Amino acid sequence: MATTKTPPKPAAPADRSEKYEGLTAQRLIDIYRLMYLSRKLDDREILLKRQQKIFFQISGAGHEALLVAAGLALRPSYDWFYPYYRDRAVCLTLGVTAYEQLLEAVGAADDPSSGGRQMPSHWGHKKLNIVTQSSPTGTQFLQAVGCAEAGRYFSRRPETAAKADGDYRQFKDVTFHGDEVVYVSCGDGTTSEGEFWEALNSASNLKLPVLFVVEDNEYAISVPVEVGTAGGDVSKLVKGFPNFHFAEVDGTDPLASYAAFKTAVEYIRAGNGPAFVHGHVIRPYSHSLSDDEKLYRPESERQTHIERDPITRFQLFLIREGILDEKGIDELEKDVEGEIQEASDRAVAAALPEPGSYINFVYSPDLDPSSSVFQTEAVHPTPLDQGAAAAEKTMADLINACMRDEMKRDPRIVMFGEDVADCSREEYLKAKQVKGKGGVFKLTAGLQYEFGSERVFNSPLAEANIVGRAVGMATRGLKPVVEIQFFDYIWPAMQQLRNELPLIRWRSNNAFSSPAVVRVAIGGYLTGGSIYHSQCGESIFTHTPGMRVVFPSNALDANGLLRTAIRCDDPVMFLEHKRLYRETFGRAPYPGPDYMIPFGKAKIVRPGHDLTVVTYGAVVPRALQAAQRIERENSVSVELIDLRTLSPYDWEAIATSVAKTSRVIVAHEDMLSWGYGAEIAARIADELFDELDAPVKRVAAKDTFVAYQPILEDEILPQAEDLHRAMVELSAY
Ligand SMILES: Cc1ncc(C[n+]2csc(CCOP(=O)(O)OP(=O)(O)O)c2C)c(N)n1
Ligand SMILES: [Mg+2]
């Protein structure tokens, strides 16, 4: 807890603590001080906003009593915290200083939460285990679940927390405690988000040490609770979840709140499972400075809230109980105001982020996956075109082999997703009654069997659950390698994939990171899979800073690139083309347990001098076919470049080739318009204009989704004939 500066002497003896939920008189004074400090910091920020010294304000007013109580019941730097934007008071109680909070408001370089990258009240504090928070409501829940899972994992296998050289583990300090609690909070409105329910479901099912706190101020901006929540009371709705301890409390009363949290935290620390504390609070100020609640709340209603104000009520309580007299209150308040004045003066004068510093920490500053660290030789090197004799293993085989090798090498790897386990009812597996499934494409086959159900397991059928938990686990230092069964179903996880996973490092100014791997089965050419087992859409993710995107076209590359993905220190989306999993094209012998390919290094599949094709994924074999034909029939020599990784991508390989051939086709399976090729084509036009003898050409899918009937599917997706036609046209230009 934050220490008080010159605390006023208690006017009453401390031996009445029984009456006060075990809290001494001094502790009660501390509580009042923290509540008052929180409120006055909000007031100061409102003033600073009016003076245009800060640029946004959202207050924690009305929530202070509940939150100071929560902070007192928990342990900073020991427990873990996912507090939402109203949680100023819990952060102060844990030890974040007034000065640090004001540094955040001004966007100072030394703001511990984000170094000026995020709005105020987006808490984060590495030393105190307050994990970087964001603006999308509800994304914190599944991460908190993953965080709790990681704590449990490390507690059960402490040896796995050891640092190891040569991969991401070198840069991650892992700490854990067997009885730690993960605190996560939200408002009443946010309980309507699906991820909230997904998190309750998993925390309940796995009996995880998560403390869920709902701060019910009856409004989500202007929307009253009965509109968002069936029956208007979330406590009634959650009661069916097993293993939970539930409490509902007047969150404007610090002592009642403290009692509720103390019991809840004891329940969790004893290993019984999660707890849910529903605190009824007030919102005496509008939602934020951008909102005027008079537009939707009449004076009469606002008045009933103001009468419940926790600050004035607790002040009266202290006086009534003889703990502080009016003079004591006065001294305390003056002291707080002095502290705020001093903190505010310093914060307003604090150094701002350096211009140009925005570029820092999009990716790991410690480990660059495109560096030579990730360049190793295959034990049995196999050029792609060597022929069937050497090409024994499929892409599916070598992806599976890579995961098996890496799980052996790195005990922090966990795998989960839909159907990835061999058999969740593991007794069947142990009794050898069943062989096991191991993924709908069998990519994870045998891994649960070999590494156990705590490292390889099925998730609920919920994609946000998969990615959100992975974010939380990776933040703590585990290496989740999760699977999204079909790219077409990635969208429920989009919030986590766009706003969370790739942003944890940047938005926390490198205080936190989340280098998880998300494997996704992607693509069409399946004959019968469409619409919803055939989509591509990789450009949506290459358009997301912080995310590495990999898209191999053959077994060897898949093996080497997945190993780089797993060992590196950045989040990676690893796109596996379903059609390529078991193709004859691109099979290869097993390259050994340390084979790695750096990101951003294209492969020249076939050298040529008349025309360049830049592509990746399942278009590689199709382009190869077309290139062989045009060589045979027209003696046109095509240089075929397989990008292999899409972010980063190998611009040098493209530029070198275009300088040589002066003609270029950019081809991909995803639809033409706004596709990945648009960026490459634009950059070629911009930077290589003088090298070109012909316009940049693109070959891609039609601008629709993919259809089921094979005639339509063939027509929609780019075929070898389409590539051939484009090559003929371009070479004749
Ligand atoms: C996913 C998402 N949708 C919408 C918003 C905009 N928004 C910010 S706060 C808020 C209301 C939240 O209400 P509640 O959960 O009750 O918390 P309170 O602000 O009342 O404490 C909304 C709609 C957002 N930040 N994120
Ligand atoms: Mg609310």
Side-chain angles (χ1 to χ4, degrees), residues 397-462:
D397 292 334
L398 288 194
I399 289 174
N400 179 271
C402 174
M403 292 195 284
R404 177 170 281 111
D405 290 341
E406 289 305 298
M407 287 198 82
K408 258 187 223 144
R409 179 183 171 274
D410 177 358
R412 293 199 205 166
I413 296 175
V414 292
M415 289 187 187
F416 56 103
E418 293 154 16
D419 299 286
V420 305
D422 291 311
C423 182
S424 283
R425 293 179 177 168
E426 61 177 16
E427 63 275 17
Y428 299 152
L429 209 56
K430 282 186 178 145
K432 300 209 171 5
Q433 285 175 287
V434 297
K435 185 160 168 279
K437 187 164 176 75
V440 293
F441 297 102
K442 307 239 176 327
L443 272 279
T444 48
L447 298 180
Q448 179 202 359
Y449 190 77
E450 187 167 343
F451 298 101
S453 304
E454 293 193 334
R455 295 188 65 194
V456 182
F457 48 90
N458 285 323
S459 70
L461 204 175

Side-chain angles (χ1 to χ4, degrees), residues 268-424:
I268 296 171
R269 286 208 206 283
N272 296 312
F276 185 94
V277 175
H278 180 184
H280 292 279
V281 294
I282 60 161
R283 197 188 74 182
Y285 299 175
S286 291
H287 170 75
S288 71
L289 270 200
S290 320
D291 173 49
D292 178 4
E293 68 175 5
K294 291 189 184 118
L295 295 173
Y296 52 88
R297 295 181 88 181
E299 193 52 35
S300 54
E301 184 186 297
R302 296 177 60 232
Q303 203 48 45
T304 58
H305 265 213
I306 287 163
E307 281 160 15
R308 289 173 56 215
D309 193 304
I311 309 270
T312 42
R313 275 180 40 235
F314 197 53
Q315 186 194 98
L316 285 175
F317 171 88
L318 293 178
I319 294 171
R320 200 172 60 235
E321 293 292 306
I323 292 167
L324 272 186
D325 56 19
E326 272 167 34
K327 186 160 159 283
I329 296 271
D330 210 42
E331 273 173 30
L332 180 150
E333 295 187 352
K334 281 219 172 67
D335 186 53
V336 166
E337 278 149 31
E339 180 186 343
I340 291 175
Q341 183 63 51
E342 186 260 349
S344 170
D345 291 345
R346 276 168 65 212
V348 165
L352 300 178
E354 287 293 325
S357 65
Y358 68 87
I359 202 71
N360 298 339
F361 314 128
V362 177
Y363 300 104
S364 170
D366 301 312
L367 197 53
D368 175 1
S370 59
S371 70
S372 58
V373 174
F374 294 94
Q375 175 106 48
T376 60
E377 291 302 311
V379 175
H380 305 291
T382 316
L384 192 63
D385 287 340
Q386 194 170 311
E392 295 135 17
K393 302 281 182 204
T394 64
M395 185 195 268
D397 292 334
L398 288 194
I399 289 174
N400 179 271
C402 174
M403 292 195 284
R404 177 170 281 111
D405 290 341
E406 289 305 298
M407 287 198 82
K408 258 187 223 144
R409 179 183 171 274
D410 177 358
R412 293 199 205 166
I413 296 175
V414 292
M415 289 187 187
F416 56 103
E418 293 154 16
D419 299 286
V420 305
D422 291 311
C423 182
S424 283

Side-chain angles (χ1 to χ4, degrees), residues 58-59 63 84-86 122 134-139 186-193 214-223 225 281-283 286-288 495 499:
I58 190 154
S59 89
H63 295 224
Y84 89 117
Y85 50 82
R86 299 261 184 240
H122 288 51
S134 63
S135 297
T137 53
T139 51
C186 75
D188 47 286
T190 300
T191 66
S192 301
E193 292 280 5
V214 174
E215 301 168 29
D216 187 345
N217 58 20
E218 295 170 32
Y219 276 91
I221 309 186
S222 69
V223 182
V225 63
V281 294
I282 60 161
R283 197 188 74 182
S286 291
H287 170 75
S288 71
Q495 181 83 282
N499 283 335

